[in-house]
Structures are given as C-alpha cells and as structure tokens.
C-alpha cells in the first residue's frame, strides 16, 4: 500500500516529545521540499548517483520498480548514519533528517510475506534453559551441539538456521543426553512418567509444556503407542522410556518454534504463540505455568495481561537471563572475553579476573535497568555503576570489599556502557585504542545507524600508536578522511570514537598518551564539536530518540526473528514516542514493544 | 594406545613436511584390506586469507614438465612428483562483492553468492556435493565436511558469516555444518554397531518423521523448506543405519581402544593434524570418498605463534601493505599450510591399496579463495592438485593456463573422474586436465 499524505510522517516526527527537535527551529519545508533541496542535485533522473533516483522513488506509482524497497532502504540507511548528504554538501538538521527518513520509509512498497519471520529452531541456550525450566535440572549442550549462526546481531534467526544430516544427528544425540539426565533423576522423571502406569499417563500435560501448545490426550496416546509397541515386543521399560524422551526432544514440535497463526486469522498469533514469543525473548525458554495458563484461557491477548506477564517474566530472575541472552548479544558484551592487549604495555591483563569482571559489570548494569525499572537512557549516562573489588581497583574508584555491588559515581566518566571496560577494551587493538571501531560500535549498537561497508582496499591503520613515521593516529585518520570516498563514513565514526580517547585500551582514564595530552576532540558532520567522553554523552542524550529506537528495534529483531524493514518504521516511531512520553522507563519501552503489532501479529504486513 | 599421542609429533615438527603418524600406521595395519578395484576419492583443503604470490610461484623445471619449489612450496619437495601446481585459474563469479566472503563461499560452486545478512542466502551446489550425490550412496557417509572454527557470530560487509564459514553447499540455500570434533568424527566412522543396535531408535525416528510431515503441511513455503531439511536429514540417517547393518564391523573393538580424546583440541596444529588423520582413515576404510576441510573460517585472525616469527594476527599479516615485516610471517603461515597438505599426501602414499597406494586413487586439492590477501585478488588462485595417478591425473606438472581461465574447468575434470555425468559446471564448458 502506498500513501500520498506527505505531511503525516513529518507531523509524527514533530510530535515526538522531549526530542532534540524541541531545541531547534521547527522545519518549515515539507519533506518533499527538503528532498528537492538536499538530495535532488545528485539523486534525480536517469543519471542519478548509484541509480538512486529519489524523486522518482517518492513519486506516485514507483511500486513497479522491483528495486524500490532496496533503494529506499539504502537511502534511509545513509541518512540515518549521516553519511548522506556528503560532508561537503549542505546538511539537514536532526529534525529534518528524521522527517526525511519517515517520508522515505512511508513510501516503501509492502511486498507480501517480507514481514513474515522464517521458522526458528531453538538455539543451544534455549534448549538448555528449556530443560532447566521443565525439570529443574541443569543440562549443558557442551560439545554436543554446534554454535549457532547469527543474523542481524542475534542467534536464533530462522533465515540462517540450516539443518544438515550431521547437525540432525547432533540434535538426536543431544536429545538422548537430555533423556538420560531426566531418567537418572527421580523428580525429573516424575514430570513425564509414572511407575506402573501407561506411558501416556502424564504425557498430555507434559507435552503441552515441552511443545508449547495444547496437546490432546488422543495425540499424546498415539505418540505413546509407538513406544508401547516396543514394550510388547519385549524391549525393557528403561530403554523404551529413554526412546520416548528422546523422541520428545528430537521432535520438530520441541525443536522448532512454530507460528501458524489463528485458524480464522492467520496473520494473528495464537495466544500460545504469543506466549512463546514473550517467554523466549525475555527468558530464552518455554512459557512457565502462569504464562501458559493465561495463554490457555486466552487472557494473554488482552493488553493489560500481556504487559503484566512481560514485566513478571523479565523480573523472575532479576532480569539475569534477559541480560545474558538479549543485552549481551545486542551490545556484543561477550566480545571482551576474546579481546587482547599487549602484556608489556598493559601488564594488568595478566589478571585473569579482568575480562570476566568486565562482562559481569555489563550484565549487572543491563539487568538492573530492567529489574529496577530504570530509565533506559542510563545505558548512555548514569551516576552509578556496578563493580567488584577487582574493577574498583582497576578503574581507580574507592576500594570496596567483596563481590559486585552498585556504587555511586562522583563524576560521570564511568557512567553508562561507554565507561565500561567491556565496550572500551573489546573495541581496542592490543597496542592501541581504535577510534574507528569505537565510533562504529556506537553507531551500530546505540544508534542503529551502521556505516556502510568500506570500499575494497580501503587500507588499514598501523597496529601501534607509537608510530615510527611520527604521524599520530589522528593525523593518519585525517589524511584518510581527505579522500572523498572515505570521508562520508569516517567523519561520523572518527568523531564519536575520538571523544573516547581519554580511555585507554583497558578502559583506564588517561590525560596523556605517548607523552602528549590526550586530544579527545571530535567534530561531527554538522560542525558540532565534542571534547571528551562527557561531551559525547551529552551528544548521545540529544539523540535519545535514535537510541530508544535502536533498543526497541533490537528487541523486535530478537523477539520476532527477522530484520525490521522500512514498513516497520511507523510502528517503531510509535514505540519511541510512547517510551519517551513515559520518562524512558524500561517498563514503558517493554510495554510499547510487546503490545506493538510488530510483536503481537504474525504478519504485520497482512491486512 | 590412546589418542593424545596422535598429532603431538606433527606439532613438534613445526613447519617442515610431516611423516605419517604411528597411530594411523597401526590402524592401517590392523584394518582388513578391501578386495576388488578400490574406488576413487576426492579431498579438498581450503585455507583462508590467500597466499603471498611472490613466495608461492614456482619456476618451471628447465627440462620437462615439472616445477621447482618456491619458498611456500618447499615442504612439498619430497612429493613434487606427486603434486601439480596450477596457475592462471579464477572463479569469475567472485570478482565482485567483498574481499573474503564473496570469494570463499562460491569457491567450489562457481556461482555468485547473494549479498544478504540472513534472508535468502543463495549460493550454488558445491562440486563436492555434486560428487556426493552421485557416489555417496555407496559409503557409510556420502561426504565429510570438516573444520576447526565454529561459526563467527558477526555479520560483515553486508554478508552473513554463514558464507565465510562454509564451502560445502548441498543446495543453493543449504550450507553444510562442519564437524569440528575429531572424536565425534571418529565415533561416526567407527561406532556402526551401536548405530544399528539401538532397539528404540527406529521408533524415535518413526515418531518424529510422522510429526514433521504433519506439521509441514500446515506451514507456509519458506517454513516448509526448513522441515524438508529436517526430513532429508532423517532420511540420510536411516540410509546410514541401513548401510551400517549390512556390513560387518570388525573395527569396533579396535576403535574402542584408540579413539581420539573428547572435545575439540585447544592446540591448533594438533587439531589440523587429527582432521587430516581422520580423512586418511575414512578413505582407508571407504567410509566416505569425498571430504572437504576448511582449515579456518575466512578472515581468520588466528595467532600462528607456534610458527617461528609469526606471532600476531593472520588476517592482519595478509594485508601486508608490501612491508617486509608483514610479508615474512604471511608467507611462513602460507608455507605452514602447504606443509600440512604435504602431510596428507604422505599419509596416503604410505597406505597400500590394490597394488598401488591410496594416494594413487585419491585426488587431493589445496586451494585458497584469493591469491594476494593484501589486494583480495581473485586472480591466479593458488591451487595444488596431488595424487590421482590411477585416474590419469599425471601429477608432478606445472599446469599453466591463461589469466582467468575458469577454475570450474578443474572442478569439471575432477567431477568427470568421480563418475559424475555432467557436461558443464559453473562457467566451465570443458575439463582442464
């Protein structure tokens, strides 16, 4: 469907409360006029740059262009990452940029099926957590199952989950290993099987939990019958029980997260399907009993019940799983476990506790935001953080005793994720910091504005910042930016990254680097200067809309199992508006996300 | 004799050519000889990040068709009559796209991959899988896919890293999982009796097959394809069980005492040597006739500090910027890989079979998806072809072709010898050798 009401997206953008636009002069041009003024010089007509003719794409009737969606998406990506218009051209204000993005997004054609997620298979972690929740026993996939492929930053995306014969055998072995563990534990076994009773006795109730949907006693009986036959053929009961359990966990009903929709409305999720989405997003596991009951009686389809369940689930374990499985993937927190520093220059790296402590700090911080219903903007800036004795010493904070605890910060240098070793170390090289990687991390994770890939042979920077040719890293990068092909992206990445130069490879504060004062000045494409990490935080807070959108988008990618498209932008904008209107509380964001049609509908693109 | 011994010698030998290991020799001696004409095998090793051309390129022998070893090819000196070096080949479908993924994923398919972060992955069918679809039915496993690296959890340059970690594709949208664990692979090769002797297994498979069929009929097309993979895999397992039950398994007892250690070796050289041992072993017992081995995912930044002067990041070295201090470790790492290939040649040459050696009836390829890593050059790929005397490969030659001759012509040559009835493959209309 294609709209022609050109003013609507702009109005929405202007309505967004507390946004940066409040401090700027309101845009007086319509988006169409903005496009004409800022983009049309290059992107109009037959000779349009990169074949992206924005005037044609936004005119009526472009739907015949099979590339329209991809070209509009490219244009939006470049606008969002501020790599277009090019740095030597006139720049739109932040509000104008948002208006242009909304205008272009609203013109993307709806193609049937593109907003339908592909069937997902449980990941390693989801199988482990499901076994934990079903039986109260810990099962580890260990070497039995391969690592999961990821897409758009998350594992468990159906599009990249293939199944080969080898992989299938591994899943069977995993199922057998689960079966053995369950049979060895009397309490666990009693969940499924009963002595002196037919195999099917407890199956309907158990299968309904394990397979996350209603299971009739007839279906359970015919499933059990296959194994009863083995009994009558003289196979020992223990062998038969193990086979039955193996079949339960090797079954496609267990392994795949099936969403077929309501019989009368296939575009809508059933209550059980919605329960699974919710539970796997927040708990990486199948629905628990209270949630299942609300799916069973259908009350989960009511907004207030859905919201209450979401908040209950995420807080069940103090949002620990939410941090370990969602936040750690979104922010790539585990990368720090692989990070390396040169031990001659950074002898602290010999302390084996440092990397795990960095990760733990990030996890605690993220789980506290969810569990304590804090403002999600604390991820950008906060007046407290979590440290243990190791990290307090490392960061030079007042010494503390014992394990991780929240500590108040006397200045904001350590506040938010940008003050954490987990981010600062993981984005550094062994011998030097990397403003480029740090800037890219901010753009990708916090603002969902990833720069486009570098052109082939873009060149590399030296591995060390103690350079033989006397050029500083900054000078080298500045030279790089003189090339027009590089400038567009590096203006963004470098400015954001340079503002973090006060943190060394291991995230320690420094005022000097190689004997010279730290130069932490970054200049953005619109001329804004940020000198140092605190100024960077201010700049990011001005972009809170973009940050909230990024958080929401990542929740949806993980929760729904697909990349968001331009057609999803209006619903995302709605989530941002709702969250910001409620003081950026985590609960507001979660409510807006799980009640969004992007989450509650199986195919938001279908009428 | 427990396995930890296995591989340690190779590890200690460093970058030189390595000898076949005592473990493999003793297993070889204990295993029964096949009767009749031995079949032809195919193994392809692919290494990441290219090979430095200036150190790779061998000279032509002054007389004859042979070649004079270069720095990188030096470990092959004792085997140069068993190995041909090919020049001028390229996969023309990999000229566009990014530096790494767009080159390695289609190396064996000859197709252009679709640039996508996830949805609609698209490549071709790789030549090893085409061969497996023809001859794979005769063996316990149609083919082996081996590797050392798990999938990297990143998306890079707009490409799903599924591409960078997979060279074997059974369909354009089906990359095949690599086995990373030597122990798990060993179990798959030898534990046939257990495979056939489980009384509940048939019922388990019957139950889940029925469930999948029923479920599949309710799903939209994209999802149906996922369950088709499930059912195809199930069918392949049943074929394997049937295969295992038809054959006697005199090796099980032997296997019980010599299995490799559990898990994935933390020492990389040991890991690679074990995988090569197991390829040799699988060929020796005719458990499979086709193997691919991706020694590391593309863009691997592995630290080769176990090779003298190579402490650092492999991928960084490959972007040598024409600086000697990077080119030196780069070429040494390249040579280390060539030495591993020499080790496989040696292993197979020591196993007698049908009046010749296993090497005579094996076609072995070493390939990288680019030549100079610094420029991500897709031209003049570094390609070695060893063994195959019994299939008239006439090893020991320097086989030159003009620039950008389709690499697929080599794949076509090998496919035809494997008995695959094709007239063309990728952009190849005629075989090369």
């Amino acid at each position: 469907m294609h709209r022609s009401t050109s003013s609507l997206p702009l109005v929405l953008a202007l309505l967004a409360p507390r946004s940066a636009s409040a401090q700027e002069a309101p845009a007086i041009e319509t988006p169409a006029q903005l496009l004409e003024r800022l983009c049309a010089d290059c992107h109009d007509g037959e000779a349009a740059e990169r074949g992206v003719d924005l005037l044609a794409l936004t005119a009526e009737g472009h739907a015949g262009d099979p590339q329209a969606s991809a070209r509009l998406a490219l244009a939006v990506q470049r606008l969002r990452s501020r790599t277009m218009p090019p740095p030597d051209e006139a720049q739109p204000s932040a509000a104008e940029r948002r208006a242009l993005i909304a205008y272009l997004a609203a013109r993307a054609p709806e193609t049937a099926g593109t907003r339908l997620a592909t069937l997902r298979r449980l990941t390693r972690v989801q199988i482990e957590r499901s076994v934990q929740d079903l039986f109260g026993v810990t099962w580890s996939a260990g070497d039995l199952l391969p690592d999961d492929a990821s897409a758009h930053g998350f594992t468990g995306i159906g599009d990249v989950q293939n199944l080969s014969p080898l992989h299938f055998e591994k899943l069977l072995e995993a199922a057998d290993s689960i079966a053995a563990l369950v049979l060895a534990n009397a309490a666990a076994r009693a969940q499924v099987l009963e002595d002196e009773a037919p195999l099917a006795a407890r199956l309907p109730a158990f299968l309904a939990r394990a397979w996350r949907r209603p299971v009739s006693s007839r279906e359970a009986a015919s499933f059990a019958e296959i194994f009863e036959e083995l009994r009558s053929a003289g196979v020992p009961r223990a062998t038969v029980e193990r086979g039955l359990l193996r079949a339960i966990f090797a079954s496609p009903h267990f392994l795949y997260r099936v969403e077929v929709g309501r019989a009368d409305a296939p575009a809508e999720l059933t209550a059980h399907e919605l329960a699974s989405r919710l539970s796997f997003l927040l708990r990486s596991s199948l629905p628990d009993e209270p949630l299942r009951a609300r799916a069973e009686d259908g009350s989960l389809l009511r907004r207030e019940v859905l919201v209450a369940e979401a908040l209950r689930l995420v807080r069940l374990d103090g949002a620990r799983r939410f941090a370990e499985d969602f936040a750690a993937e979104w922010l790539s927190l585990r990368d720090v476990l692989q990070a390396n520093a040169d031990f001659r220059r950074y002898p602290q790296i010999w302390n084996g506790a440092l990397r795990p402590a960095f990760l733990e700090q990030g996890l605690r911080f993220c789980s506290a935001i969810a569990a304590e219903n804090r403002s999600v903007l604390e991820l950008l800036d906060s007046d407290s953080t979590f440290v243990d004795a190791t990290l307090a010493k490392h960061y030079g904070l007042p010494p503390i005793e014992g394990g991780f605890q929240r500590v108040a910060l006397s200045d904001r240098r350590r506040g938010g994720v940008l003050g954490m070793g987990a981010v600062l170390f993981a984005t550094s090289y062994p011998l030097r910091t990397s403003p480029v990687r740090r800037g890219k991390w901010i753009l990708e994770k916090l603002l969902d504005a990833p720069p486009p890939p570098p052109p082939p042979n873009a060149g590399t920077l030296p591995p060390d910042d103690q350079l033989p040719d006397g050029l500083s890293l900054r000078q080298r990068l500045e030279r790089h930016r003189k090339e027009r092909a590089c400038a567009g992206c590096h203006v963004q990445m470098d400015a954001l990254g340079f503002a973090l130069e006060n943190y060394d490879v291991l995230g320690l504060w420094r005022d000097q680097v190689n004997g010279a004062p730290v130069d932490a000045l970054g200049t953005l494409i619109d001329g804004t200067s940020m000198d140092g990490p605190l100024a960077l935080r201010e700049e990011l807070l001005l972009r809170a809309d973009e940050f909230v959108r990024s958080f929401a988008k990542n929740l949806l990618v993980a929760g729904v199992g697909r990349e968001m498209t331009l057609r999803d932008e209006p619903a995302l904008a709605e989530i941002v508006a709702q969250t910001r209107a409620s003081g950026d509380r985590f609960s507001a964001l979660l409510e807006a996300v799980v009640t969004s049609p992007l989450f509650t509908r199986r195919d938001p693109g279908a009428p | 004799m427990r396995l930890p011994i296995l591989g340690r010698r190779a590890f200690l030998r460093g970058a030189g050519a390595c000898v076949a290991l005592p473990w493999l020799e003793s297993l070889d001696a204990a295993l029964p000889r096949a009767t009749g004409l031995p079949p032809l095998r195919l193994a392809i090793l692919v290494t990441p990040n290219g090979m430095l051309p200036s150190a790779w390129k061998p000279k032509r022998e002054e007389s004859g068709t042979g070649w004079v070893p270069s720095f990188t090819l030096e470990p092959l000196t004792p085997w140069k009559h068993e190995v041909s070096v090919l020049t001028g080949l390229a996969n023309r479908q990999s000229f566009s796209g990014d530096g790494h993924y767009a080159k390695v994923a289609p190396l064996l398919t000859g197709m252009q991959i679709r640039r996508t972060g996830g949805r609609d992955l698209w490549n071709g069918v790789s030549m090893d899988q085409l061969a497996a679809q023809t001859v794979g039915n005769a063996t316990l496993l149609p083919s082996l896919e081996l590797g050392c690296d798990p999938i990297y959890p990143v998306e890079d340059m707009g490409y799903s890293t599924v591409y960078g970690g997979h060279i074997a594709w059974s369909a354009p949208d089906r990359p095949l999982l690599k086995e990373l664990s030597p122990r798990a692979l060993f179990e798959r090769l030898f534990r046939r009796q257990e495979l056939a002797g489980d009384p509940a297994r048939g019922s388990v498979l019957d139950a889940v097959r029925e469930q999948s069929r029923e479920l599949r009929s309710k799903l939209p097309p994209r999802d149906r394809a996922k369950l088709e993979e499930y059912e195809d895999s199930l069918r392949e397992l049943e074929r394997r069980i049937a295969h295992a039950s038809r054959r006697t398994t005199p090796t099980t007892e032997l296997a019980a005492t010599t299995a490799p250690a559990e898990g994935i070796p933390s020492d990389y050289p040991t890991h690679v040597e074990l995988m090569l041992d197991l390829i040799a072993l699988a060929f020796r017992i005719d458990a499979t006739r086709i193997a691919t081995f991706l020694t590391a995912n593309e863009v691997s930044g592995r630290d080769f500090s176990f090779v003298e002067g190579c402490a650092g990041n492999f991928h960084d070295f490959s972007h040598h910027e024409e600086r000697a201090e990077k080119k030196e470790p780069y070429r040494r790492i390249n040579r280390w890989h060539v030495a591993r290939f020499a080790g496989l040649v040696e292993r197979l040459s020591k196993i007698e079979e049908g009046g010749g050696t296993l090497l005579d009836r094996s076609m072995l390829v070493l390939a990288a998806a680019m030549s100079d890593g610094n420029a991500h050059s897709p031209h003049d790929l570094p390609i070695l072809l060893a063994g195959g005397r019994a299939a008239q490969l006439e090893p020991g030659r320097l086989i030159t072709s003009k620039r950008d001759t389709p690499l697929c012509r080599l794949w076509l040559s090998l496919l035809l010898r494997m008995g695959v009835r094709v007239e063309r493959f990728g952009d190849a209309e005629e075989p090369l050798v």
Side-chain angles (χ1 to χ4, degrees), chain A residues 136-200:
Chain A
V137 295
T138 302
W139 176 82
S140 165
D143 288 332
L144 283 176
L145 293 176
D147 287 2
D148 295 289
S150 67
H152 323 304
F154 295 94
T155 53
I157 307 288
D159 287 319
V160 293
Q161 292 182 314
N162 287 92
L163 192 65
S164 67
L166 172 63
H167 200 155
F168 178 75
E169 281 183 44
K170 288 180 182 291
L171 287 167
L172 270 182
E173 279 167 33
D176 191 45
S177 157
I178 295 167
L181 185 75
V182 170
L183 291 177
N185 178 308
R189 180 176 169 276
Q191 301 282 322
V192 201
L193 294 155
E194 198 177 327
D195 287 328
E196 316 298 328
L199 291 171

Side-chain angles (χ1 to χ4, degrees), chain A residues 307-331:
Chain A
V307 171
E309 280 300 291
L311 291 171
R312 180 184 68 81
L313 286 171
V314 76
R315 291 172 188 159
L316 264 185
D317 59 351
R320 180 70 189 185
R321 283 188 186 179
F322 180 70
E324 286 184 4
D325 301 340
F326 168 75
E329 284 206 316
W330 168 30
L331 301 173

Side-chain angles (χ1 to χ4, degrees), chain A residues 553 556-557 560 562-566 568-569 572 598:
Chain A
K553 194 204 91 161
L556 284 161
V557 170
V560 175
R562 67 174 174 89
E563 175 65 307
M564 293 296 115
T565 71
L566 292 186
D568 299 308
E569 285 301 323
L572 271 170
L598 300 183

Side-chain angles (χ1 to χ4, degrees), chain A residues 116 118 152 163 169 250-251, chain B residues 119 155 211 229-230 240:
Chain A
L116 197 55
T118 305
H152 323 304
L163 192 65
E169 281 183 44
S251 166
Chain B
R119 185 152 281 212
E155 186 177 315
Q211 290 167 353
E229 289 185 13
Y230 181 92
R240 204 182 128 206

Side-chain angles (χ1 to χ4, degrees), chain A residues 571-584:
Chain A
L572 271 170
E574 183 59 30
I575 293 170
V576 173
Q578 282 182 35
T579 307
R580 306 239 52 209
S582 305
D584 304 305

Side-chain angles (χ1 to χ4, degrees), chain B residues 68-363:
Chain B
V68 180
S70 57
F71 175 87
T72 307
L73 298 178
E74 182 275 331
L76 284 165
T77 306
W79 308 103
K80 72 191 193 76
H81 299 296
E82 298 293 347
V83 181
S84 292
V85 183
L86 291 86
T87 70
L89 303 182
N91 173 17
R92 290 188 266 192
Q93 302 304 314
S94 75
F95 288 0
S96 62
D98 90 306
H100 291 269
Y101 311 107
K103 296 182 174 58
V104 75
L107 186 66
L108 303 185
T109 68
M111 303 301 278
Q112 193 170 52
I113 61 171
R114 182 179 294 153
R115 184 181 202 131
T116 168
R119 185 152 281 212
D120 302 322
L121 291 173
W122 200 255
N123 192 352
V125 177
S126 57
M127 54 85 75
D128 59 299
Q129 289 309 302
L130 209 53
Q133 285 159 16
T134 303
V135 304
N137 254 331
T139 51
L140 181 71
L141 299 164
S143 60
L144 293 181
E145 290 74 41
L146 308 180
C148 295
D149 291 340
I151 191 94
Y152 299 147
V154 291
E155 186 177 315
D156 196 8
M157 313 285 287
Y159 288 90
S160 165
T161 47
V162 166
Y163 286 127
H166 295 92
I167 48 175
W169 293 65
S170 64
D173 57 351
R174 290 192 192 183
L176 295 179
L177 181 73
K178 295 166 298 183
E179 179 59 85
L180 309 181
S181 160
R183 171 62 172 261
L185 173 58
F186 188 87
E187 301 271 329
R188 264 181 121 216
L189 293 175
F190 280 101
R191 295 288 158 90
R192 297 176 178 181
Q193 226 138 41
E194 285 172 27
L195 192 66
D198 175 354
R201 186 179 292 264
S203 305
V204 172
L205 297 182
D206 286 347
V208 300
R209 185 196 310 101
E210 205 40 55
Q211 290 167 353
S212 181
R213 269 187 204 152
E214 210 182 293
L215 189 54
R216 178 159 49 92
S217 65
K218 296 180 194 157
L219 297 178
R222 188 188 290 275
D223 293 358
R224 236 176 275 155
K226 295 284 166 192
L227 283 188
E228 277 162 19
E229 289 185 13
Y230 181 92
E231 288 166 43
D232 289 349
S233 300
L234 202 157
R235 208 170 300 120
E236 167 53 29
L237 179 63
E238 288 174 324
R239 187 199 69 82
R240 204 182 128 206
I241 294 168
H243 188 278
S245 62
R246 277 202 308 274
R247 290 218 181 169
T248 52
T249 58
T251 52
T252 306
E253 197 182 316
L254 178 72
T257 58
T258 58
E262 294 272 358
I264 295 167
S266 56
D267 177 64
Y268 183 63
T270 305
H271 196 174
V272 172
E273 296 294 352
L274 277 172
M275 289 311 208
L276 296 173
D277 276 336
L278 289 162
I279 291 174
L281 196 56
F283 283 0
R284 165 68 179 84
I285 62 174
D286 199 23
T288 190
R289 293 170 191 173
I290 294 154
T292 54
F293 180 17
L294 186 62
T295 60
N297 290 351
E298 200 55 49
V299 206
S300 169
R302 186 180 294 286
D303 185 342
F304 278 75
S305 45
F306 51 85
V307 180
E308 199 190 337
C310 295
N313 180 307
F314 181 14
H315 178 244
D316 284 354
F317 288 142
S318 77
H319 286 280
H320 51 75
E321 304 165 272
E322 301 299 339
R323 283 155 54 196
E325 72 269 23
K326 294 179 92 174
K327 280 159 95 168
E328 184 59 28
Y330 183 33
R331 68 177 195 154
R332 287 189 192 189
I333 293 170
N334 294 161
R335 185 166 66 171
W336 182 87
H337 287 102
V338 169
R340 307 285 75 72
F341 184 68
L344 181 63
V345 172
E346 175 163 11
R347 282 170 177 84
L348 299 187
S349 76
K350 294 206 165 171
I351 296 174
E352 285 178 26
E353 185 185 79
T357 69
L358 183 50
L359 180 64
D360 295 335
R361 302 207 61 86
S362 297
M363 302 187 291

Side-chain angles (χ1 to χ4, degrees), chain A residues 66-79:
Chain A
Q67 296 283 338
S69 288
R71 289 191 170 126
L72 284 165
L74 178 66
V76 166
Q77 189 211 6
R78 301 300 298 262
L79 273 168

